[in-house]
Amino acid sequence: MTASKATHQNKAAQREPAEVTYAAELEKLAALDEGPVPPGWRMSPRAVEKFVMGDDELGIERKFVADRAMVVRIIISLCTSRGCLLVGEPGTAKSWLSELLAAAISGGSTLTLQGGAVSQVSQLLYSWNEAILKNEGPCLKALVPSPLLRGMMEGRLVRFEEIARCPQALQDALLSVLSDRVVVIPELAGDEGVILAREGFNVVATSNSIDEGVHAMSAALKRRMDFEEIRPIRNLADELDVVVREVRKANVAAGVSVEPDPEVLEVLVTMFHELRNGQTLDGRSTDRLAGAALSTAEAVAVAHAASLNAWYYGGDAMTVEQLIHHIIGSALKDQPEDRRRLRHYFDTAVATRDGDNWKQAWALRSLIQ
């Protein structure tokens, strides 16, 4: 084996799926699970809820911040024959929630369709291995099932990301899947051409609210799915906790020994929280930024970038200056008016705050050119 090949094989995956990252937790929950388990599921709805929302007594990490009743509704909807659609602003962890649900319910989260990449029926349902098809004709051996068809055949939860970016004609191909739980393959004769969904199959889809109207969902498809709105984290302390925890994980994965400073990150989380909501913490109105999705996920990305800045360009700790540089790079996209809005926010909100970190942030307002 050459040195380059050895190096390649020794490299760790940049990101492991939830069922790998939390394998020990899933194993513990399954072993302790005494609740009724829906047909085809790996564990009970109560155990799935604990996996997502956390359980301090069992040592299960909280992985998603939301109203518990909403999460229970989503889990129960997936017990039924209806799919579930998670709708919300970009960066509200809709995809992460769907991944956690698939990991707990089916033991795997990788059966995924991306709506923007699905442009023909073969990508949605199935295609053919041309070599086998040429030699043996249409047969199950030559069939190449899509993640959706595999989910039906294996009785697993399928994730359909950004479903509104999928053309409506292909969205409608889901109707028989969601209502009749069947896909007919006309090229295959007899029973081989009828794929019936096994117990455990369902679809959890996501859609960004800004994509509404990209490809309008048909009324028929809407009737076959429960809708749940995933909103940004409302409580500042909860959001700060998520950012600190996720940045710590990202830094470890990158081999970066920079410990997130909650007091420094509070500046970031507060700014994102206020600019996203158009209101300061004390109730005063402020401008929203039109071109940026100032989500929790974006805050994690900004804080991780500031950590990398500290690591590679000197210093063992993230500074407010590094943070502000990356906040500006994240907040100012392609909307010229956002520069004025951000300067106004600095003049009216940042300038009035006490504390060394806020004073340092105010001193860097000249970076907003």
Side-chain angles (χ1 to χ4, degrees):
M1 182 183 294
T2 64
S4 60
K5 287 184 178 179
T7 300
H8 177 75
Q9 290 186 4
N10 288 333
K11 287 183 178 179
Q14 286 191 326
R15 181 184 179 279
E16 294 178 326
E19 60 270 19
V20 175
T21 302
Y22 298 105
E25 288 191 2
L26 290 169
E27 184 177 351
K28 177 190 290 187
L29 285 167
L32 298 174
D33 193 7
E34 297 180 350
V37 179
W41 284 34
R42 297 293 184 94
M43 59 181 65
S44 70
R46 285 186 180 276
V48 174
E49 176 198 341
K50 290 179 181 180
F51 177 67
V52 174
M53 301 298 291
D55 187 306
D56 292 337
E57 291 184 4
L58 296 179
I60 304 300
E61 176 185 323
R62 180 176 69 165
K63 305 169 190 66
F64 187 74
V65 177
D67 178 54
R68 187 175 292 271
M70 181 196 70
V71 173
V72 170
R73 286 197 306 271
I74 293 170
I75 293 170
I76 294 300
S77 74
L78 294 173
C79 294
T80 72
S81 60
R82 294 166 61 84
C84 186
L85 177 63
L86 311 178
V87 182
E89 298 175 13
T92 48
K94 300 180 297 296
S95 295
W96 176 234
L97 177 56
S98 74
E99 181 177 339
L100 293 171
L101 291 168
I105 291 170
S106 298
S109 62
T110 56
L111 289 184
T112 306
L113 288 165
Q114 293 290 341
V118 176
S119 59
Q120 50 191 341
V121 174
S122 62
Q123 295 170 315
L124 182 67
L125 296 176
Y126 63 91
S127 58
W128 299 97
N129 182 312
E130 294 296 333
I132 298 176
L133 189 66
K134 182 178 180 180
N135 292 327
E136 303 183 27
C139 60
L140 282 176
K141 184 180 177 182
L143 186 71
V144 180
S146 71
L148 181 66
L149 194 60
R150 280 188 58 195
M152 294 180 65
M153 298 167 75
E154 299 171 11
R156 295 170 58 187
L157 188 63
V158 177
R159 301 166 56 206
F160 202 133
E161 298 294 313
E162 298 183 342
I163 193 172
R165 291 188 172 274
C166 177
Q168 187 170 328
L170 295 179
Q171 291 179 28
D172 287 343
L174 286 171
L175 295 178
S176 62
V177 173
L178 291 175
S179 58
D180 302 327
R181 287 336 213 214
V182 63
V183 167
V184 176
I185 303 174
E187 296 91 340
L188 298 179
D191 292 342
E192 281 193 341
V194 180
I195 306 297
L196 301 175
R198 298 182 61 183
E199 296 284 9
F201 166 72
N202 213 333
V203 175
V204 55
T206 65
S207 180
N208 288 328
S209 53
I210 62 172
D211 290 339
E212 184 178 357
V214 174
H215 292 295
M217 290 180 65
S218 69
L221 182 57
K222 288 179 180 179
R223 287 197 304 271
R224 287 162 173 81
M225 305 190 83
D226 287 332
F227 281 58
E228 286 290 349
E229 182 181 5
I230 309 299
R231 298 180 179 179
I233 299 174
R234 297 178 181 179
N235 184 276
L236 186 70
D238 284 340
E239 187 168 11
L240 179 59
D241 178 67
V242 170
V243 172
V244 172
R245 185 175 68 243
E246 293 303 316
V247 171
R248 183 177 291 120
K249 290 179 183 177
N251 289 353
V252 170
V256 173
S257 300
V258 174
E259 178 64 20
D261 185 339
E263 292 185 0
V264 173
L265 290 183
E266 186 178 4
V267 173
L268 164 67
V269 175
T270 301
M271 290 178 66
F272 271 36
H273 189 89
E274 293 179 330
L275 289 167
R276 181 174 68 224
N277 294 325
Q279 187 178 60
T280 62
L281 296 179
D282 58 5
R284 292 179 291 118
S285 296
T286 189
D287 288 325
R288 295 175 186 241
L289 300 189
L294 302 179
S295 63
T296 305
E298 186 74 7
V300 172
V302 167
H304 179 50
S307 298
L308 295 175
N309 193 325
W311 179 253
Y312 290 115
Y313 283 89
D316 296 326
M318 177 197 312
T319 65
V320 172
E321 181 177 0
Q322 292 161 340
L323 195 66
I324 295 298
H325 274 282
H326 292 285
I327 287 175
I328 292 172
S330 173
L332 300 181
K333 304 292 187 184
D334 57 353
Q335 297 288 335
E337 275 296 295
D338 277 353
R339 291 189 178 274
R340 179 194 62 77
R341 297 184 182 106
L342 188 58
R343 283 196 297 266
H344 180 261
Y345 172 76
F346 265 71
D347 290 339
T348 58
V350 176
T352 64
R353 294 218 160 94
D354 296 325
D356 290 341
N357 289 331
W358 284 106
K359 290 178 180 179
Q360 290 179 49
W362 165 243
L364 294 164
R365 66 193 182 281
S366 60
L367 295 175
I368 312 170
Q369 299 297 332

